[in-house]
Amino acid sequence: MKFGEAFSDYLRKDRERFLDKCSHVEYKRLKKVLKKCRVCRAAQQHHDEEEEEEEEEEIGRNGALDLCSFESESCSLCDQMFFTELTKEASEIAGCFISRVRRLLHPSDSFGLQRYLWRLRHCFMDDQQIMIQEGRLLLDYITMNSIAIRKILKKYDKIHRSVNGRNFKTKMRAEHLELLQSPWLIELAAFYINLSGSSIGEPGEFFRMFSCDLCDTQPRMIIMLSDCVMYEYSLTCSICLEIVFNPYALGCGHLFCKECACSAASVLLFQGLKAASHEAKCPVCREVGVYSNAVHMTGLDLLVKNRCKDYWKDRLRAERAVMVKQSKRYWELQTVTVFGY
């Protein structure tokens, strides 16, 4: 079955209720845009045959092929409709995924009708059944849409003989729209790994999609989204080079220990990352303004606590000692400033 048919089948099936309020990639419509462009280009090619023959003769004389002339080819029609629409869809999909994961992991944050419906579902379904069902839907949602984006961009480059689709994917990553690089996907995986190790979670096919190795020299988390799609995420802090403790994901997606991130942002531990200056940069990618929307990875922290108890306790004691020392020094300076002694 071709992917277009599989994607349409996915949208038609029992996920309809879940997708009612969620955006998705308009795969068929974007394919029609590219198909129309292909017809126009075929008609244009008929008129340009003589020019192409001359170019081939010139290439033969030069003995080399100038790839840049092909790679820079673009289409005003596609560029205007295609990339604008795809950016909007990717942004909406990422927003929907984040809000759904937040609601699943922190149901107490819901309010109004959403909170009432969540409690109503618990009256008819057990907690594990609800969590597994919601988790499957979320993973299918982000996987299918990610593949759709990758396929349609590859098709764009093939039709236009360009690398604009590949460049657009790089741009999406820079704008934090790359769906499978979201820190909330790591947090979701950590939640299910913790659940599988509790008395609630029972080993099953769904729980086997997630694994975590913290004993290796390179601690990592592995998520099997499908039989052919596997992602690995490093759980090493890039500053202290240890397993992330009390981890935070910055707006750019990079993971750090809270103490390391605060040190990089030149703020005190008790002040937190929200106190960081807007000009503070990520220690890895050097992007500014990434501290204000940092995500506290509580599920990942619980995973480290359960898997590496001694390490977690040692880091907790060390962090508290640093916080006490910083607080004491801070208030001493405040006292001197106010009272002069």
Side-chain angles (χ1 to χ4, degrees), residues 121-135:
R121 288 178 65 188
H122 278 253
C123 297
F124 300 97
M125 300 173 68
D126 63 83
D127 289 347
Q128 184 182 354
Q129 187 180 358
I130 293 174
M131 292 171 182
I132 291 177
Q133 181 184 18
E134 187 78 5

Side-chain angles (χ1 to χ4, degrees), residues 223-234:
I223 305 176
M224 292 291 298
L225 295 173
S226 67
D227 294 337
C228 56
V229 181
M230 181 186 77
Y231 274 82
E232 287 191 8
Y233 302 91
S234 174

Side-chain angles (χ1 to χ4, degrees), residues 82-102:
F82 187 85
F83 290 120
T84 303
E85 184 66 24
L86 198 56
T87 301
K88 179 184 175 184
E89 290 169 1
S91 178
E92 291 175 350
I93 292 167
C96 180
F97 175 74
I98 291 172
S99 65
R100 288 275 181 161
V101 174
R102 275 179 171 165

Side-chain angles (χ1 to χ4, degrees), residues 211-221 235-236 242-244 303-304 306-311:
S211 61
C212 181
D213 186 1
L214 298 178
C215 300
D216 194 27
T217 53
Q218 295 182 341
R220 65 188 186 276
M221 178 183 289
L235 301 181
T236 301
E242 299 283 348
I243 301 172
V244 286
L303 176 62
V304 175
N306 292 336
R307 295 289 183 92
C308 307
K309 291 182 172 62
D310 293 337
Y311 169 79

Side-chain angles (χ1 to χ4, degrees), residues 50-315:
E50 294 182 358
E51 293 181 5
E52 288 181 2
E53 291 177 0
E54 292 177 2
E55 289 177 2
E56 288 176 1
E57 292 176 0
E58 186 178 350
I59 290 171
R61 288 194 297 270
N62 294 336
L65 181 63
D66 184 9
L67 291 175
C68 294
S69 62
F70 292 94
E71 292 183 349
S72 62
E73 199 168 341
S74 61
C75 173
S76 58
L77 175 65
C78 285
D79 288 352
Q80 182 178 4
M81 298 177 60
F82 187 85
F83 290 120
T84 303
E85 184 66 24
L86 198 56
T87 301
K88 179 184 175 184
E89 290 169 1
S91 178
E92 291 175 350
I93 292 167
C96 180
F97 175 74
I98 291 172
S99 65
R100 288 275 181 161
V101 174
R102 275 179 171 165
R103 193 186 311 170
L104 175 65
L105 303 186
H106 309 289
S108 59
D109 294 344
S110 303
F111 56 90
L113 182 61
Q114 289 182 353
R115 190 167 187 174
Y116 172 76
L117 292 174
W118 178 79
R119 287 181 175 178
L120 187 63
R121 288 178 65 188
H122 278 253
C123 297
F124 300 97
M125 300 173 68
D126 63 83
D127 289 347
Q128 184 182 354
Q129 187 180 358
I130 293 174
M131 292 171 182
I132 291 177
Q133 181 184 18
E134 187 78 5
R136 284 185 185 278
L137 290 171
L138 284 168
L139 289 175
D140 288 346
Y141 175 67
I142 197 172
T143 302
M144 293 299 289
N145 281 285
S146 297
I147 295 174
I149 291 174
R150 178 169 56 85
K151 292 273 188 183
I152 203 69
L153 289 175
K154 188 175 180 181
K155 190 175 290 290
Y156 178 96
D157 281 347
K158 183 178 180 181
I159 290 175
H160 295 87
R161 297 181 299 172
S162 74
V163 292
N164 290 343
R166 193 188 312 166
N167 293 338
F168 179 77
K169 195 172 182 180
T170 304
K171 179 184 175 184
M172 283 179 59
R173 191 175 294 112
E175 295 179 358
H176 320 307
L177 297 177
E178 182 68 37
L179 303 177
L180 296 178
Q181 297 298 325
S182 171
W184 285 101
L185 182 58
I186 300 176
E187 188 73 347
L188 183 67
F191 171 76
Y192 284 109
I193 293 174
N194 291 328
L195 187 64
S196 65
S198 68
S199 58
I200 300 176
E202 298 177 1
E205 181 184 354
F206 177 72
F207 290 108
R208 283 194 288 269
M209 295 173 62
F210 314 100
S211 61
C212 181
D213 186 1
L214 298 178
C215 300
D216 194 27
T217 53
Q218 295 182 341
R220 65 188 186 276
M221 178 183 289
I222 300 174
I223 305 176
M224 292 291 298
L225 295 173
S226 67
D227 294 337
C228 56
V229 181
M230 181 186 77
Y231 274 82
E232 287 191 8
Y233 302 91
S234 174
L235 301 181
T236 301
C237 175
S238 302
I239 296 177
C240 66
L241 303 181
E242 299 283 348
I243 301 172
V244 286
F245 169 77
N246 196 5
Y248 275 78
L250 303 187
C252 55
H254 290 112
L255 289 175
F256 300 98
C257 307
K258 181 182 179 181
E259 181 182 349
C260 297
C262 287
S263 177
S266 300
V267 295
L268 302 178
L269 260 174
F270 72 88
Q271 291 176 322
L273 296 179
K274 301 294 183 183
S277 168
H278 183 73
E279 286 73 27
K281 299 179 181 179
C282 169
V284 175
C285 63
R286 311 305 297 168
E287 183 176 347
V288 299
V290 293
Y291 290 91
S292 59
N293 55 348
V295 178
H296 189 197
M297 311 287 281
T298 54
L300 181 57
D301 188 42
L302 180 61
L303 176 62
V304 175
K305 180 181 179 181
N306 292 336
R307 295 289 183 92
C308 307
K309 291 182 172 62
D310 293 337
Y311 169 79
W312 191 88
K313 289 178 181 178
D314 292 341
R315 288 295 303 267

Side-chain angles (χ1 to χ4, degrees), residues 16-23 96 100 113-114 117 141:
E16 288 180 355
R17 186 183 302 177
F18 174 78
L19 291 172
D20 277 344
K21 298 179 181 179
C22 290
S23 300
C96 180
R100 288 275 181 161
L113 182 61
Q114 289 182 353
L117 292 174
Y141 175 67

